[in-house]
Amino acid sequence: MGEILVVGGGFSGLLLASRIPGSEVFEENPSIGVPPHCTGLVSWDTIRVIGSPARDSIVSSYRYIRVLNTAGKDIAVLKPSQRIYKLDRVLLERLLAKEAEDMGSKIHTRARVVSVDFEGSIAIHGKEGFRRAVGSMVAIAEGSLGTISRRLGLSRKQDLLVGIQGYARVSKNIDEDEILVFVNDRIFKGFFGWLVPLGSREAVVGMASSLRSYSNRAFRIYLAVLRKLGYFRDSSLRGTYGGLIVRGYPITNHYRDRVIAIGDAAGFVKPFSGGGLYPASKQVEAFSTALRRSDGGEALKRYSRLIGDEIRSLRLQWIATKAVEAIGVERAMKILAGMGIRSISMDYDHHERVFFRLIWGVLAESR
């Protein structure tokens, strides 16, 4: 197996470089782990796949997700089949980078890849100007915009959300074993807001909504709602950060010849929440396993067999997500509550089951 060239030094690219010794990573930003843009909530299954960098990045953990409306009224409690863990995303990526370098991989920062061809060649604009590199394979892990992967036909145009969050000092007693999710179809438009306790009365507070409908005014309204409900008194959040969230699914042909798209760039995200750590981890696990056992075209055939179930699951989640989005998240949850369904067991990594239950409840109500 020859050298793997990795376009992008975010989570997916670094995880792959930590799995394939001698990989070469090209990251356009000046340092690894910044800018931060993800809350970092994962299941233990995800931590198990990532390994020690994830275990060493755990900040806190949770047993339940409590869903409320913006009047502060409980609607439902979601009960994941395993605990949810919050990871320090900046630390996670830096630990993955160290693990990759310990495996003999190289990481170049301030190195922007401007083009990729199917022969395994890339063009880089870096500190020394323009240059080219050729590898046995190229993994495009460029993130949510997916410019190169879409240009090559390896991903579809995904729906994009805007997420923004920051830190707040909590003034109200809350159960630190619960994540709070707030639904309001007018404010969040197909998504939701969240409050994630960190202990010592600190919390991450954030929201997301469609790129087309997002406004800073909606975020200010949401923060005003939380202040009115007594969750915190701060006039603004500290350390605000955010970015684009992909909401989509991978196409079957997200690889060709000597090039593959991975992570957000390929649509390997949970369509409802936009969470990419679990799908990307499973994809990297499948791809690196295939590369270790086979070369070239045979490796991609083996990878296709290994990743098939995950792709089918993500497509089902996408169908269910679009249906819930059309109904309205708040409305769907209220209908279930009206039917007496207020406690919902769920698989945190495979949302399709709970979503189809939501849809079934709405259909039953409309009869």
Side-chain angles (χ1 to χ4, degrees):
M1 180 176 59
E3 184 180 60
I4 307 296
L5 305 181
V6 183
V7 181
F11 170 75
S12 301
L14 293 171
L15 182 62
L16 180 61
S18 73
R19 296 294 189 267
I20 306 298
S23 299
E24 197 163 357
V25 179
F26 300 89
E27 167 57 40
E28 65 180 359
N29 286 303
S31 59
I32 295 298
V34 294
H37 54 81
C38 172
T39 310
L41 297 174
V42 299
S43 67
W44 183 256
D45 282 347
T46 307
I47 292 173
R48 178 188 56 77
V49 175
I50 299 170
S52 59
R55 291 192 295 273
D56 293 342
S57 302
I58 294 173
V59 174
S60 50
S61 69
Y62 315 93
R63 186 67 191 90
Y64 305 108
I65 302 171
R66 184 171 298 277
V67 182
L68 308 93
N69 62 21
T70 49
K73 182 179 179 181
D74 283 4
I75 298 177
V77 175
L78 305 180
K79 298 180 177 179
S81 55
Q82 51 186 299
R83 291 189 74 86
I84 303 168
Y85 295 83
K86 185 187 182 328
L87 306 183
D88 180 331
R89 277 297 307 273
V90 174
L91 177 60
L92 172 63
E93 293 186 8
R94 289 177 177 169
L95 291 175
L96 283 172
K98 182 180 185 305
E99 189 173 86
E101 290 175 328
D102 289 345
M103 293 285 288
S105 295
K106 298 177 183 178
I107 299 173
H108 306 276
T109 56
R110 300 183 189 273
R112 183 168 64 91
V113 174
V114 294
S115 68
V116 174
D117 67 38
F118 288 112
E119 299 302 313
S121 173
I122 66 174
I124 310 122
H125 183 221
K127 302 168 188 174
E128 302 84 20
F130 281 96
R131 69 183 181 95
R132 298 196 72 84
V134 180
S136 62
M137 288 206 69
V138 177
I140 304 174
E142 59 187 327
S144 56
L145 288 177
T147 306
I148 296 174
S149 56
R150 281 194 288 112
R151 188 189 306 152
L152 295 175
L154 301 179
S155 68
R156 59 186 289 276
K157 185 176 181 180
Q158 312 284 0
D159 289 353
L160 293 175
L161 305 168
V162 177
I164 185 168
Q165 57 196 329
Y167 297 93
R169 180 78 176 167
V170 178
S171 55
K172 184 175 183 177
N173 288 329
I174 57 175
D175 187 342
E176 294 189 350
D177 212 27
E178 290 184 338
I179 295 169
L180 302 184
V181 166
F182 295 88
V183 293
N184 183 306
D185 291 335
R186 287 176 295 178
I187 296 176
F188 306 118
K189 298 187 186 302
F191 210 72
F192 50 84
W194 58 88
L195 189 153
V196 181
L198 300 176
S200 302
R201 288 192 173 273
E202 289 288 316
V204 174
V205 175
M207 65 162 280
S209 67
S210 164
L211 178 61
R212 294 187 299 272
S213 62
Y214 176 81
S215 70
N216 288 329
R217 180 174 178 272
F219 188 50
R220 290 195 298 270
I221 290 172
Y222 172 52
L223 295 183
V225 165
L226 293 184
R227 283 193 291 270
K228 183 177 179 180
L229 294 174
Y231 285 102
F232 62 89
R233 299 190 181 93
D234 298 350
S235 58
S236 61
L237 302 182
R238 306 186 314 278
T240 304
Y241 62 99
L244 295 176
I245 301 170
V246 175
R247 183 178 257 184
Y249 61 90
I251 63 172
T252 302
N253 298 321
H254 57 278
Y255 54 86
R256 176 181 156 191
D257 299 334
R258 294 164 67 177
V259 181
I260 184 171
I262 64 173
D264 284 10
F268 274 85
V269 295
K270 291 186 281 190
F272 182 71
S273 68
L277 297 187
Y278 175 76
S281 298
K282 297 296 287 184
Q283 185 194 18
V284 168
E285 181 182 51
F287 184 52
S288 57
T289 298
L291 282 176
R292 285 193 295 268
R293 296 179 181 176
S294 310
D295 286 324
E298 285 303 313
L300 289 177
K301 288 179 183 178
R302 183 183 292 272
Y303 162 75
S304 179
R305 293 192 295 271
L306 292 172
I307 202 62
D309 286 346
E310 289 302 323
I311 291 177
R312 284 186 285 274
S313 172
L314 292 173
R315 286 179 177 169
L316 283 174
Q317 290 181 49
W318 170 252
I319 293 168
T321 294
K322 296 306 286 184
V324 171
E325 190 179 78
I327 296 164
V329 179
E330 180 184 19
R331 178 172 173 247
M333 295 299 296
K334 283 182 175 179
I335 288 173
L336 282 189
M339 297 171 65
I341 303 174
R342 293 182 174 272
S343 179
I344 304 171
S345 298
M346 64 176 292
D347 183 331
Y348 188 70
D349 294 319
H350 295 91
H351 295 157
E352 62 269 29
R353 295 169 189 168
V354 69
F355 285 150
F356 282 123
R357 189 176 181 185
L358 279 172
I359 296 164
W360 180 255
V362 171
L363 291 174
E365 177 72 12
S366 64
R367 289 176 180 172

